[in-house]
Amino acid sequence: MMIKKLLFSLPLFVISVNIYAQTDTSKTLVIVGGQDAALAYNQGINDANAGNYDEAVANFNKAVNAKSKFDKAFYNRGIIELEQGLNKKALYDFDEALASNYQKANYYLAKAIAQSRMKNYEEALKNIHKAETLGYNKSQIKYFYGYIYFRQGKYKDAQRVYTDAINVNSKYAYAYCDRATAHMKLGNYKAALDDYNTALEIMPNATFVYILRADAKAAQNNFTAAVEDISLAMKIDGDDNLQLLNARGILYGRAKKYKLAMNDFNSCISKYPDSPDAYINIGNMLMNQKKYSDAEKNYTKAIEIDSENIAAWNNRSNAKELQFNLKGAESDRKKARELERNAN
């Protein structure tokens, strides 16, 4: 059998890369290429900052159609595509931005992120080096080197350059956070907790760090403290937050408190019926209980909501395989691979 690792709708760790939308610093909206391009661009920035990504992309499309060498519009459209996991499209847009303005360090950094997600690590490192030669912030350059090393699975190297970033800027919360995640990969849970604690001292309202710290505590089988971290995050973001409800449900499931886990997952389904996440997490919990048929049904529900969800297809293939439905398992696995290739 070819059982693959279960994929979660909520990752057990994240890398906290921050490349931000770039506003136009012109004193007037009128730029070379016409006012239409400028107006569409500025509306796109407003939409992006409000989280209205579809509208933002539509306006950036208008901007580049009106002005073919509008580097900032290409760059910001690429940033949204990175957020959406559309790495090939993002890479195209960063190349277009650089074709018009090859002296912008953050364009190279964004390109490096897209390349690393497509596992083109050597080119990604070259682009980070290019940003470094252009004088980009030293601590952040070290941080981005760490990002690439982490994705390569070079956790000790990532740990080292995150430390370099912290030595340059002792208040660099994201570097502490991601160094903690490298510690987690190396099995050093105490060091991970220390770094997550420091990150939260610097940015106490960063709810994603509470989720990460909760995972570190759960890795030490301290599920009570892990759930307390999610509860702290809920005090900040509210107890209706989809990500936090799923995170707490996952922790209850890992602690074998299945009834409490189902309460959270059912809340997700009730409040967010268009999200597949809870069904995937229920399926994973059932898989751990060896209830493969019931798990398959939940993955199927997730696929019915989101037919391009890689985790749902991947995990359903495992459920089918464990029921000796080898033909169905291979079909699902093939679909998961196809979606992953398209995403990259």
Side-chain angles (χ1 to χ4, degrees):
M1 289 190 179
M2 296 175 60
I3 305 300
K4 293 182 70 177
K5 183 177 180 180
L6 290 176
L7 301 179
F8 287 82
S9 64
L10 177 72
L12 294 182
F13 61 87
V14 296
I15 301 298
S16 319
V17 168
N18 287 287
I19 296 284
Y20 297 108
Q22 179 175 313
T23 56
D24 198 330
T25 56
S26 305
K27 293 181 180 179
T28 172
L29 290 177
V30 181
I31 59 173
V32 176
Q35 188 172 7
D36 288 345
L39 290 171
Y41 171 82
N42 280 276
Q43 184 57 52
I45 289 292
N46 290 336
D47 290 332
N49 289 335
N52 301 322
Y53 297 134
D54 290 342
E55 292 88 342
V57 167
N59 277 295
F60 292 139
N61 290 344
K62 291 178 184 177
V64 298
N65 287 337
K67 181 184 181 225
S68 61
K69 296 185 181 297
F70 200 160
D71 59 295
K72 292 180 181 179
F74 279 114
Y75 169 77
N76 282 294
R77 188 171 71 179
I79 291 300
I80 293 173
E81 288 159 348
L82 275 184
E83 179 73 18
Q84 297 173 327
L86 303 173
N87 303 314
K88 284 183 180 179
K89 288 185 175 181
L91 185 59
Y92 168 84
D93 277 344
F94 298 139
D95 279 335
E96 288 295 307
L98 284 164
S100 298
N101 189 342
Y102 61 89
Q103 293 295 312
K104 296 290 289 187
N106 55 321
Y107 293 4
Y108 289 101
L109 289 175
K111 183 177 179 179
I113 293 171
Q115 288 172 323
S116 71
R117 290 182 179 179
M118 298 168 69
K119 300 182 180 179
N120 192 351
Y121 301 119
E122 292 306 314
E123 289 301 313
L125 289 169
K126 288 178 184 177
N127 278 293
I128 292 177
H129 179 68
K130 179 63 177 178
E132 187 175 16
T133 64
L134 289 171
Y136 201 80
N137 180 282
K138 185 176 180 181
S139 62
Q140 291 183 35
I141 285 292
K142 295 294 185 182
Y143 173 86
F144 280 101
Y145 277 121
Y147 174 79
I148 305 301
Y149 290 141
F150 189 99
R151 291 191 68 88
Q152 285 181 285
K154 296 180 177 180
Y155 304 123
K156 288 186 178 179
D157 287 336
Q159 196 178 67
R160 172 178 53 79
V161 289
Y162 286 141
T163 299
D164 290 341
I166 290 165
N167 287 339
V168 176
N169 177 7
S170 64
K171 297 296 183 181
Y172 199 166
Y174 290 103
Y176 284 107
C177 183
D178 289 1
R179 187 174 70 174
T181 307
H183 288 319
M184 285 284 289
K185 281 293 189 179
L186 293 167
N188 192 343
Y189 303 129
K190 183 183 182 304
L193 283 171
D194 288 343
D195 275 351
Y196 287 138
N197 290 340
T198 303
L200 284 169
E201 288 172 7
I202 299 167
M203 47 182 191
N205 291 326
T207 54
F208 75 92
V209 184
Y210 286 101
I211 296 174
L212 293 168
R213 191 173 71 175
D215 188 53
K217 291 177 179 178
Q220 297 178 300
N221 294 317
N222 190 352
F223 292 106
T224 300
V227 170
E228 286 175 357
D229 267 352
I230 303 301
S231 297
L232 288 171
M234 285 179 168
K235 287 181 180 179
I236 297 168
D237 276 1
D239 58 8
D240 285 345
N241 183 288
L242 175 65
Q243 185 183 34
L244 295 175
L245 280 170
N246 269 302
R248 191 170 67 181
I250 290 170
L251 288 172
Y252 280 138
R254 290 170 67 183
K256 298 185 174 16
K257 296 182 178 180
Y258 301 125
K259 185 175 180 180
L260 290 172
M262 284 302 301
N263 286 342
D264 279 342
F265 294 143
N266 284 332
S267 291
C268 290
I269 292 167
S270 174
K271 294 169 182 175
Y272 303 95
D274 294 331
S275 171
D277 295 359
Y279 288 113
I280 294 170
N281 292 327
I282 291 170
N284 292 351
M285 186 172 68
L286 291 167
M287 287 284 282
N288 290 332
Q289 298 174 70
K290 300 184 179 180
K291 297 178 179 179
Y292 306 127
S293 176
D294 290 337
E296 179 185 341
K297 291 174 184 175
N298 278 279
Y299 296 137
T300 298
K301 289 178 182 177
I303 290 168
E304 288 169 354
I305 294 170
D306 179 6
S307 62
E308 296 187 356
N309 192 293
I310 296 170
W313 286 102
N314 176 83
N315 296 2
R316 193 175 74 169
S317 73
N318 289 340
K320 287 182 177 180
E321 191 156 357
L322 287 165
Q323 296 173 84
F324 300 98
N325 178 1
L326 303 185
K327 186 175 180 180
E330 179 53 31
S331 176
D332 281 359
R333 189 166 290 117
K334 182 179 178 181
K335 180 65 175 181
R337 288 195 295 260
E338 176 189 329
L339 290 170
E340 192 168 13
R341 282 196 301 271
N342 291 340
N344 291 330

